[in-house]
Amino acid sequence: MLPYGPPSADDSWYSQRVIGAQLFLPASVTLRRPDGEPIGRFEGIYLLPWPALVRVVATALNASALVIVTVVVTSVLLCPIIATLNEGLTKASGDLLTANLATLSTLGSAIAKRDSTTNSHNFRVVLLTVRLAEALGLPAERIRALIKGAFLHDIGKLAIPDAVLLKPGKLTEAEFEIMKSHVRHGLDIVNRVGWLTDAADVVGCHHEWYDGSGYPRGLAGEDIPVVARIFAVADVFDALTSRRPYKEAMPLAETRALLEQGRGTHFDPLILDVFLAMAPALYVELAGRDDPGLESDLLTVTHRHFVALLQG
């Protein structure tokens, strides 16, 4: 009988003992019938001579060394291939991003020219919303959503008849209901394109008012997505400070006064306060701007926020 018994009668078991610099392996194996019923045990003590142990260790080390050499050689051979593939993937991703941003800008321009002779309003509003979002510390992914929404906020106007969209005078009640439907049409469009779905907060809520008197859902306060609340301030600021066929651009003081009148009704007071502090600098930089460099500045700003996606 072994001096060290197994944990239980049914267990097979072995142990290791070093006696006089020799390695012994006491072992015990349960013997069973075909139906699994134990019928006895086989017990023994095995001596492993040192030469045999040395050969086992040497064989194991040789196998380990071979594995290591194989891994190293394979890595050296594959690294240039992997680097080339990664470079190609990065370039393809960058090209796709550039194409997406160009498409976004083109769509925004097409929308703006439906009811205007210039797309500069769209460009300025995007820049204004980004500046305000950065000042508010908005997370990167929300700024990207805001950029998309600012470009495409009026995309639903593509579905509005010219007789309503381009009517010079005041709209009738029925015509105004048709005009309001551009929000629904806009949501239908952006929700069909996976890359644009996060623009829905601005597209669907840019006519909501902070006091709940806006449309289409009459949302109020923080129920209005923050990107839509930011956009509302920037959009009105640009409309007031830009020259239109039916009005001249307003000076800064008058613009600030009109924005203040919308505090708590049209605009989120906290967002308005941040914007008003920035307004003098933004007025100098962007009010009524319509030069060739405007689009270039816009692409630089938008690319800076989206390229972070490629850098992981």
Side-chain angles (χ1 to χ4, degrees):
M1 179 65 68
L2 295 176
Y4 302 94
S8 73
D10 290 335
D11 289 332
S12 296
W13 169 86
Y14 78 93
S15 183
Q16 303 175 18
R17 297 290 182 269
V18 178
I19 303 174
Q22 296 292 326
L23 179 62
F24 294 86
L25 295 178
S28 175
V29 179
T30 301
L31 303 177
R32 301 177 182 274
R33 293 200 302 248
D35 62 2
E37 183 69 21
I39 58 175
R41 303 189 68 81
F42 175 82
E43 299 180 347
I45 299 177
Y46 299 89
L47 170 63
L48 273 67
W50 284 114
L53 286 175
V54 170
R55 286 195 300 272
V56 171
V57 171
T59 301
L61 289 175
N62 288 337
S64 298
L66 180 60
V67 170
I68 292 171
V69 170
T70 302
V71 170
V72 171
V73 172
T74 303
S75 299
V76 170
L77 292 174
L78 289 179
C79 272
I81 299 173
I82 294 172
T84 301
L85 290 173
N86 188 60
E87 181 180 350
L89 180 60
T90 300
K91 183 179 184 304
S93 298
D95 291 345
L96 179 60
L97 173 61
T98 300
N100 282 340
L101 291 177
T103 301
L104 195 63
S105 178
T106 301
L107 275 173
S109 298
I111 298 158
K113 289 186 176 182
R114 274 281 278 131
D115 60 355
S116 174
T117 58
T118 176
N119 50 23
S120 296
H121 165 69
N122 225 32
F123 293 164
R124 290 191 302 267
V125 170
V126 175
L127 284 169
L128 287 166
T129 56
V130 171
R131 297 273 195 274
L132 180 51
E134 290 172 341
L136 289 164
L138 211 64
E141 67 275 8
R142 298 304 290 150
I143 292 181
R144 289 191 287 268
L146 178 56
I147 290 171
K148 295 177 191 178
F151 267 119
L152 303 177
H153 66 282
D154 274 341
I155 192 170
K157 286 184 177 179
L158 296 174
I160 302 301
D162 286 351
V164 173
L165 184 66
L166 305 180
K167 182 178 178 179
K170 184 177 179 180
L171 298 178
T172 66
E173 185 174 339
E175 289 169 338
F176 185 55
E177 288 301 315
I178 293 172
M179 179 65 79
K180 289 195 296 184
S181 72
H182 81 275
V183 173
R184 173 171 52 82
H185 293 304
L187 288 173
D188 288 344
I189 294 170
V190 298
N191 284 328
R192 290 174 181 268
V193 182
W195 193 68
L196 298 179
T197 53
D198 55 350
D201 281 348
V202 174
V203 173
C205 300
H206 67 284
H207 284 294
E208 301 287 0
W209 282 37
Y210 193 75
D211 65 356
S213 62
Y215 68 87
R217 292 191 287 161
L219 299 179
E222 294 190 2
D223 288 338
I224 304 171
V226 64
V227 288
R229 284 179 273 146
I230 290 171
F231 176 82
V233 176
D235 188 40
V236 172
F237 176 83
D238 187 74
L240 295 175
T241 57
S242 302
R243 185 179 182 278
R244 299 290 176 86
Y246 52 85
K247 76 171 192 67
E248 293 298 322
M250 287 186 182
L252 177 61
E254 190 175 348
T255 298
R256 289 174 62 99
L258 287 175
L259 289 175
E260 281 285 5
Q261 291 179 18
R263 174 185 297 275
T265 54
H266 192 171
F267 309 121
D268 180 330
L270 296 179
I271 291 175
L272 182 63
D273 285 340
V274 173
F275 184 82
L276 289 177
M278 305 167 60
L282 292 175
Y283 186 87
V284 172
E285 178 188 359
L286 292 171
R289 186 178 170 187
D290 190 18
D291 59 88
L294 180 63
E295 184 174 7
S296 176
D297 290 349
L298 174 65
L299 291 176
T300 298
V301 170
T302 55
H303 191 271
R304 170 166 52 85
H305 281 284
F306 280 92
V307 77
L309 290 172
L310 301 181
Q311 297 172 344

